[in-house]
Amino acid sequence: MIYKMLALNIDGTLLQDNGRLNKATKEAIEFAVGKGIKVTLVTSRNFSSATRVAKELKLETCLVTHQGSFVASDLDKPILVKRISEEVTNDLVRFLEAFNCHIRLVHERYTIANKKKLPTNIMGKLVIQTGNRNSYAESYVDSLIDKLEETPVSPPKIEVIFDNSIDLFDARKAIQEMFHEVNCIENDKHLLEIVPQGTSKLKGVLYLCDRLNIQREEVVMIGSGKDDLALIEWAGLGVAMGNASAKLKHAADWITRSNNENGVSYMVKEHFRKQQPIEFLKKMNLIK
């Protein structure tokens, strides 16, 4: 099979546990791009944070960010944007403020969050994964609902970090029953991500593939998180990282090494080494 797109999750896939990109990973992505393959990042991160990783990889393609709610290569010219309405955002914040949780309204240009204090081990891990403090503006307020009354917000995504998993379970169940305008995604026992109904990483990639005229069987997806499952099942070649869950590995067509063992680099070199450049294949009339 000839592959035209390589879709990659960021955390737990491209990045090592220390948050860094290995040199071998950068070289592997450069190798794939040199073959004419469209390489995109598919992430729960905000657009600004994903762009920082893309620049380090020298990528200029559209990125699927905010769990698929914001797809763009340029902040000012997105090709797909889905938002939680101002009214629903207000109602969600009112509901969530009853819990001991840290609420983050993740806009593509900024984040507004409450000042709720949670255990350092929880906050440190998840805030690093969901964004980059140096990427764009982040502000913290005592009361989010008071802030929203002054300045309404319609974010592509809301992140909620709970002190305990029982509260997360209760909140998720209630939100799914009361708010039909949104969808809840749970990637971590402390983190709940709320996005517009019908939004997902898969939907974002489908939209991008349609724009680029790339078929399902021509897509390789490499992932490690729960929210990568649908994409790995859908892709022509679904690849699970060595550090992924057993469920994700079972659904994958291929399992590579872990993120700390350069799993992306290993997979790319194994599968794309023998594939001729896309332009050459077009000239030979082997592909359209």
Side-chain angles (χ1 to χ4, degrees):
M1 186 62 210
I2 296 170
Y3 299 108
K4 295 181 180 178
M5 174 181 281
L6 174 60
L8 299 151
N9 182 28
I10 293 180
D11 296 290
T13 302
L14 276 170
L15 301 184
Q16 297 178 312
D17 288 346
N18 60 12
R20 296 180 180 178
L21 276 169
N22 187 276
K23 182 181 178 181
T25 301
K26 295 179 185 179
E27 292 174 347
I29 300 306
E30 185 177 0
F31 175 76
V33 172
K35 293 267 188 177
I37 296 161
K38 299 291 185 183
V39 179
T40 185
L41 306 184
V42 187
T43 179
S44 63
R45 287 186 174 219
N46 64 65
F47 179 76
S48 178
S49 180
T51 299
R52 180 181 62 85
V53 178
K55 285 182 177 178
E56 199 169 349
L57 292 169
K58 300 178 181 179
L59 297 179
E60 297 179 355
T61 51
C62 278
L63 309 178
V64 179
T65 65
H66 296 257
Q67 284 288 5
S69 296
F70 195 86
V71 182
S73 58
D74 185 324
L75 178 63
D76 298 317
K77 298 177 182 178
I79 64 170
L80 176 66
V81 183
K82 291 189 176 182
R83 301 185 183 280
I84 303 170
S85 71
E86 293 176 1
E87 180 182 358
V88 172
T89 298
N90 284 11
D91 290 343
L92 280 167
V93 168
R94 285 185 187 278
F95 170 73
L96 288 166
E97 283 190 334
F99 293 87
N100 183 32
C101 62
H102 178 62
I103 309 165
R104 297 162 57 84
L105 308 182
V106 187
H107 193 274
E108 67 270 19
R109 296 182 183 276
Y110 56 83
T111 286
I112 302 174
N114 62 349
K115 294 180 180 178
K116 184 72 70 176
K117 288 187 177 181
L118 294 176
T120 304
N121 63 320
I122 296 175
M123 286 294 293
K125 173 187 174 185
L126 295 176
V127 170
I128 287 173
Q129 288 182 351
T130 56
N132 184 322
R133 291 180 178 275
N134 299 321
S135 298
Y136 71 161
E138 294 196 4
S139 59
Y140 296 85
V141 296
D142 292 318
S143 171
L144 266 180
I145 197 62
D146 290 345
K147 178 66 176 178
L148 291 176
E149 288 179 358
E150 298 174 6
T151 311
V153 177
S154 181
K157 187 178 71 152
I158 299 173
E159 297 170 352
V160 193
I161 304 173
F162 291 87
D163 185 19
N164 65 73
S165 57
I166 296 175
D167 280 351
L168 185 151
F169 176 83
D170 291 342
R172 176 177 183 171
K173 183 179 179 181
I175 289 171
Q176 289 176 330
E177 292 175 353
M178 296 188 299
F179 297 90
H180 303 295
E181 305 90 343
V182 298
N183 182 41
C184 295
I185 300 170
E186 183 184 346
N187 255 340
D188 184 279
K189 64 181 181 180
H190 293 284
L191 173 64
L192 187 67
E193 297 178 276
I194 305 171
V195 295
Q197 185 60 253
T199 297
S200 68
K201 286 183 174 183
L202 175 56
K203 292 286 182 66
V205 171
L206 283 169
Y207 188 85
L208 186 56
C209 285
D210 185 60
R211 298 264 302 201
L212 297 173
N213 194 29
I214 293 175
Q215 307 303 310
R216 179 194 68 81
E217 60 271 15
E218 298 172 328
V219 178
V220 177
M221 170 64 192
I222 309 179
S224 58
K226 290 181 181 179
D227 55 353
D228 296 321
L229 178 61
L231 254 175
I232 283 178
E233 290 177 331
W234 169 84
L237 181 64
V239 181
M241 297 294 291
N243 49 292
S245 67
K247 184 176 182 179
L248 204 68
K249 290 177 180 177
H250 181 73
D253 301 302
W254 207 76
I255 301 171
T256 187
R257 298 169 180 171
S258 74
N259 59 324
N260 290 327
E261 298 170 317
N262 302 324
V264 169
S265 172
Y266 176 72
M267 183 277 159
V268 169
K269 289 179 180 178
E270 284 291 309
H271 278 269
F272 291 106
R273 180 165 41 92
K274 295 180 181 180
Q275 180 171 307
Q276 295 294 333
I278 297 297
E279 285 304 313
F280 173 79
L281 294 171
K282 287 180 179 179
K283 288 180 181 178
M284 300 297 291
N285 293 318
L286 295 174
I287 60 172
K288 294 181 179 180

